[in-house]
Every structure is written in structure tokens, then in C-alpha cells.
Amino acid sequence: MGIVDLNQQYYYKSYMEDVKKLRKEYSAKLQITTEGRTIDNRKILSFFVGSGSKHILLTAGVHGRESNNTVVLMYLLEEFLCNPKEEYTLCVMPLLNPDGYVIATEGFFAIENGNIQKQIENEETCWQEWKGNARGIDINRNFPSLYWQKKELEQFPGSEEETRALMRVCNRYHFDLYLDFHSRGEEIYYYRQSMDDAYNERQRLLAKKMQQLCGYTLVLPERELDVKTGGGNTVHYTSETFGIPSFTIETMPEDSGFPADVYLQDSIYHQIKELPFVI
């Protein structure tokens, strides 16, 4: 270890510098792929490591303001590079929404396209609370799913490049488990209203295993889907389309604010570091 550090303000520049260092240090072990580019021309990256038969997909940074999970997954990635588990192959996408991330960590001025910057500056949300991409679209409501609901005039399922980047990865590889890390609440969403009892029972059993590892609360089935906000989540897409075990993991205490407290990163890592290996 030694490239990725926790308990730091992890800017997009920090992330890309660590990407270069990891590529150089672990070139024989690590495959880094550009899965797409954002509307403001930032790379959406995937990291593949390991050669085991159990393929695990991990994502973070779907919402711009949830910045702590990106560096935690980068740290977990480097830890796995140094101490691999032979049974496993990891695909890690630590920053699915880099445009939203730079807005939430640096401000609207960080968007380089002047026209886009002007449009989002007129939004009511302050930059520190920004969740969407540079077009203001919530990526976690943009995936094809049974309960998807239209939110914006130009939006349709998979309308955003960030969404399509994850969809391409899911269509290209078979995964045995998917964990999408968000913030806040220290909770695990496991129930899928759109799936059958057998799927949800497997979800519940795996969620119980994860609860024992991290101490997070299991979200009651009736809270899984808010009809006012609709579907279209990452985990709705992966469960309905591929039938794989898919979980939303909410890190950080419920009373945490934004910008995210960087000194929570170490505790988040120790809470979630074993979750990818529950199967």
C-alpha cells in the first residue's frame, strides 16, 4: 500500500493522479478501461483486478456529493492489488459521475463547458449538495427498470453517458454480486419489489451476512421503493435485467452533512471492506 490515502479531501485531480500511479505500479495486475466520457469530457473508468471465478462489481460516485465512497473504493482496490483473494475478480467503478463529483467538491466553475456551467448555476441546489451529472440528471433514476418514471423533458432510460457506461460493463461481463455505495444512513437496501420471492430471500440472507460484517441496518421491504421518486436505480437495473444479487449500501451516519466529513473515510473502509466477499 502507499498510493491511495484515506481521510483526505479527495478532489477529481487527486483521483486521476492516483489512477496514473496505480497504472504504473500495478501494470501487470490491473486493467483500467475508459467506459465512456461525460458531457464535460471526463473519463468514466473501470478497474479490473484478480483472476478468481467469483466476479464482483463495485460502484460509487453515482451522486456527486457522496464523495467519501470514491476514495474508499480506491483504497479497497489497492488493498486487493496488494493482498488478492484467489477466489475473486473485482470490477471497481469508483466514480461513475465525475462531472457531478467536481461540482460537489469544487463548485460550478469546475465545469469547463461554459454553456453547461451557466445552465446548472441557475439551479436551486447549492453546489455542495449537487447529486446529478452536469445536465442535472440524477443517474440513480436513469436506468431501465419496471418502475422508472420520467423526471426531465429530455430524459429517457439510459439517456446519460454515465448510465450507459455502467450498462456497457454489465452487458460485457457476468457478475455474481453487485454493490453500489451511497451515503447516508448506514443501511443496506436489499429488497426488490419487482423480483420474485426466491430472489428476495437470497437477497435477505446475503444482506444478513453483510449486516454481521458492517453493523448496518437492513432497510424494511416497504421502504425499498418510493413511488414518488420511482425506479431507475442501478440495483433495479442489474437485478431485473441480469438477476444478480444487487445491493445499495448507504455509508456514513444519518446525521452526516455535505460536504462529506473526510475523517469518516477510515471508519467507512473498515465497515465495508469485507462486504464484496460475502459470496
Side-chain angles (χ1 to χ4, degrees):
M1 297 289 287
I3 293 176
V4 183
D5 294 320
L6 295 176
N7 297 353
Q8 61 164 310
Q9 185 62 59
Y10 202 61
Y11 295 106
Y12 179 74
K13 181 180 179 181
S14 312
Y15 169 67
M16 293 306 296
E17 287 175 349
D18 283 351
V19 170
K20 291 179 182 178
K21 293 174 184 176
L22 289 172
R23 179 183 280 119
K24 181 178 180 181
E25 181 70 20
Y26 302 103
S27 59
K29 300 180 180 180
L30 181 62
Q31 175 188 336
I32 305 175
T33 303
T34 300
E35 303 294 352
R37 285 183 177 270
T38 68
I39 195 172
D40 206 42
N41 202 35
R42 290 180 179 84
K43 293 180 180 180
I44 305 167
L45 300 174
S46 67
F47 303 79
F48 275 84
V49 58
S51 57
S53 60
K54 296 178 180 179
H55 291 73
I56 314 301
L57 173 62
L58 309 174
T59 59
V62 174
H63 288 141
R65 68 185 188 180
E66 297 169 6
S67 54
N68 274 343
N69 295 328
T70 292
V71 65
V72 168
L73 284 198
M74 288 290 283
Y75 192 89
L76 187 151
L77 173 68
E78 188 178 8
E79 172 61 30
F80 190 89
L81 283 162
C82 295
N83 300 287
K85 297 178 184 287
E86 293 184 0
E87 293 180 78
Y88 294 91
T89 298
L90 298 186
C91 173
V92 185
M93 300 181 75
L95 186 51
L96 192 64
N97 178 14
D99 287 353
Y101 188 92
V102 298
I103 291 170
T105 55
E106 300 177 45
F108 294 120
F109 70 89
I111 296 299
E112 297 177 5
N113 184 306
N115 292 330
I116 297 173
Q117 184 183 129
K118 289 178 182 178
Q119 290 174 9
I120 59 178
E121 282 179 334
N122 293 326
E123 297 286 343
E124 295 181 358
T125 305
C126 64
W127 59 268
Q128 296 96 331
E129 294 276 347
W130 194 263
K131 292 176 67 176
N133 65 1
R135 296 203 321 129
I137 301 296
D138 185 343
I139 301 306
N140 212 34
R141 297 293 184 273
N142 190 240
F143 287 85
S145 76
L146 182 63
Y147 294 104
W148 180 85
Q149 294 181 14
K150 191 178 185 68
K151 298 296 179 185
E152 305 289 342
L153 181 63
E154 299 178 0
Q155 186 185 4
F156 54 86
S159 63
E160 306 307 297
E161 182 56 29
E162 296 88 351
T163 311
R164 294 193 293 269
L166 180 57
M167 291 173 67
R168 281 191 284 269
V169 171
C170 291
N171 278 286
R172 196 161 68 241
Y173 302 99
H174 167 76
F175 294 106
D176 301 292
L177 175 69
Y178 172 40
L179 305 180
D180 185 23
F181 291 91
H182 287 261
S183 299
R184 300 167 289 196
E186 295 185 333
E187 297 177 317
I188 301 172
Y189 285 81
Y190 71 91
Y191 186 81
R192 297 286 99 78
Q193 184 173 322
S194 58
M195 301 298 286
D196 61 23
D197 290 343
Y199 178 88
N200 280 311
E201 178 60 12
R202 185 185 184 193
Q203 288 279 107
R204 187 186 69 82
L205 293 174
L206 285 173
K208 289 290 289 184
K209 287 184 179 180
M210 288 191 283
Q211 182 183 41
Q212 292 171 1
L213 291 168
C214 67
Y216 289 0
T217 302
L218 302 190
V219 175
L220 295 174
E222 52 265 34
R223 281 186 55 210
E224 185 269 336
L225 183 67
D226 184 346
V227 294
K228 294 180 180 179
T229 59
N233 295 356
T234 57
V235 294
H236 294 160
Y237 167 69
T238 53
S239 59
E240 293 175 22
T241 306
F242 305 101
I244 63 174
S246 305
F247 300 86
T248 299
I249 311 295
E250 298 278 356
T251 67
M252 302 202 329
E254 179 62 36
D255 61 357
S256 301
F258 297 102
D261 181 354
V262 299
Y263 293 104
L264 292 171
Q265 292 167 9
D266 187 69
S267 62
I268 292 170
Y269 171 72
H270 284 93
Q271 288 165 349
I272 65 96
K273 65 179 181 178
E274 296 299 328
L275 301 189
F277 314 113
V278 295
I279 61 169

